[in-house]
Amino acid sequence: PQLLQALKRGETMVTLDDGSYGLLPEEWLNRFGVVAAMGAAENDHIRFSTGQAGLLDALLASQPAINCDETFLRVREELDRFQTIRPAEQPNGFIGQLRGYQCEGIGWMHFLRQFSFGGCLADDMGVGKTAQVLGLLETRRELRAKGELDKPSLVVVPKSLIFNWKQEAERFTPQLTLLDFTGTDRHRNKFADYDLILTTYGTLRRDALQFKDTIF
C-alpha cells in the first residue's frame, strides 16, 4: 500500500517502519509504474475497469508471478480464445432485411458487450446506423423474453431525433416496448416495464437522480 501511494504522489521514496527512508528500485518502477498509474489504488491492491483488460493483459504478459481475480482470469482466457469478430444473425423479430455490413456492425457491438468495451458506430450518414442499433436492441429484447437479461436499455438522443427513433422502432422492431421519456408526464411509468427508454440529453441531465438508480 505504501508503494502504491508513493507512486500516486509521484514520489520515489517511502518511510520504512523503523523511521528510515527507502528508495523505490528503478526496475520496480519501470515494471509496475505504468500499470499502477492506470488503476485506482485501494488498500493493498489496484482496481482496474473492465475496459482496460486488453491493455492490462498486454502489460502483464511478461510478468512471471501476478495474482489477479477470477474476473480478470476469465477475460484473459476469452482474449486468448478470441479469433475474429463475426457478423451477427438478424434477430427474428426484426422487420425488413439487414444488409451484410449492418450485420457486421451488430456483430461488432456484440463483441464490445462481451468484453465490456465502449465503442463508436461511425458509419456514414444515411447507411442505417439506427437500424443496426435497433437490431441489437431487438436481440436484447429476445434475450429478455427468455429470462437471460432483465435490464432495460437506454437511448439518449437530441430532441430533434426523438420522433425519428420512435418511427424507426415502430417500423423495424414493433415488438420492442418503448418508453418516450420526455415531456411533462414522463414520470408516470417505471423503467423496468420497458425494453427501451428513449430520452434526450436535457432530460437526462434534469432527471439524473432518477436515472442513477437504474442499471441499464
Side-chain angles (χ1 to χ4, degrees):
Q2 289 175 278
L3 297 179
L4 295 177
Q5 289 301 319
L7 274 176
K8 191 174 182 180
R9 294 191 299 265
E11 300 173 356
T12 58
M13 300 187 73
V14 292
T15 304
L16 304 178
D17 292 340
D18 62 2
S20 62
Y21 288 95
L23 183 65
L24 299 187
E26 186 174 346
E27 180 188 359
W28 189 88
L29 289 171
N30 291 336
R31 288 175 62 192
F32 296 109
V34 175
V35 176
M38 286 171 50
E42 294 185 7
N43 300 320
D44 62 346
H45 60 273
I46 308 175
R47 185 174 296 278
F48 300 90
S49 69
T50 51
Q52 294 173 303
L55 180 58
L56 189 61
D57 182 47
L59 288 171
L60 296 179
S62 61
Q63 307 301 332
I66 297 294
N67 294 322
C68 48
D69 60 18
E70 291 183 8
T71 301
F72 185 59
L73 287 174
R74 176 181 56 79
V75 173
R76 277 185 127 173
E77 290 172 358
E78 289 181 355
L79 286 169
D80 286 340
R81 290 196 302 266
F82 176 74
Q83 297 294 326
T84 186
I85 299 174
R86 294 180 175 83
E89 293 185 8
Q90 178 170 316
N92 293 329
F94 189 91
I95 306 301
Q97 183 61 50
L98 289 169
R99 298 185 178 183
Y101 70 86
Q102 291 176 312
C103 290
E104 290 178 0
I106 297 175
W108 178 71
M109 289 187 281
H110 286 319
F111 158 77
L112 295 178
R113 176 175 176 265
Q114 178 185 355
F115 290 100
S116 299
F117 293 157
C120 177
L121 185 62
D123 285 342
D124 291 335
M125 288 185 64
V127 296
K129 292 187 294 295
T130 303
Q132 289 179 62
V133 177
L134 285 170
L136 175 72
L137 294 172
E138 174 61 21
T139 299
R140 292 183 62 81
R141 184 200 67 78
E142 293 175 357
L143 292 173
R144 249 189 134 196
K146 297 176 183 177
E148 297 180 28
L149 290 176
D150 63 351
K151 298 175 181 64
S153 296
L154 176 67
V155 167
V156 187
V157 298
K159 187 176 181 179
S160 59
L161 292 182
I162 290 288
F163 175 76
N164 178 69
W165 262 86
K166 292 169 66 175
Q167 191 177 48
E168 296 282 273
E170 185 177 347
R171 173 186 175 189
F172 293 116
T173 53
Q175 297 184 69
L176 204 65
T177 56
L178 185 152
L179 172 62
D180 177 2
F181 194 77
T182 60
T184 56
D185 62 345
R186 61 185 181 274
H187 298 285
R188 292 183 306 166
N189 302 284
K190 296 181 179 179
F191 291 159
D193 296 335
Y194 295 85
D195 298 313
L196 172 62
I197 314 304
L198 180 63
T199 194
T200 65
Y201 294 106
T203 303
L204 180 67
R205 195 163 52 239
R206 285 190 294 273
D207 294 343
L209 291 177
Q210 180 173 349
F211 278 101
K212 77 175 182 61
D213 293 327
T214 301
I215 299 176
F216 292 98

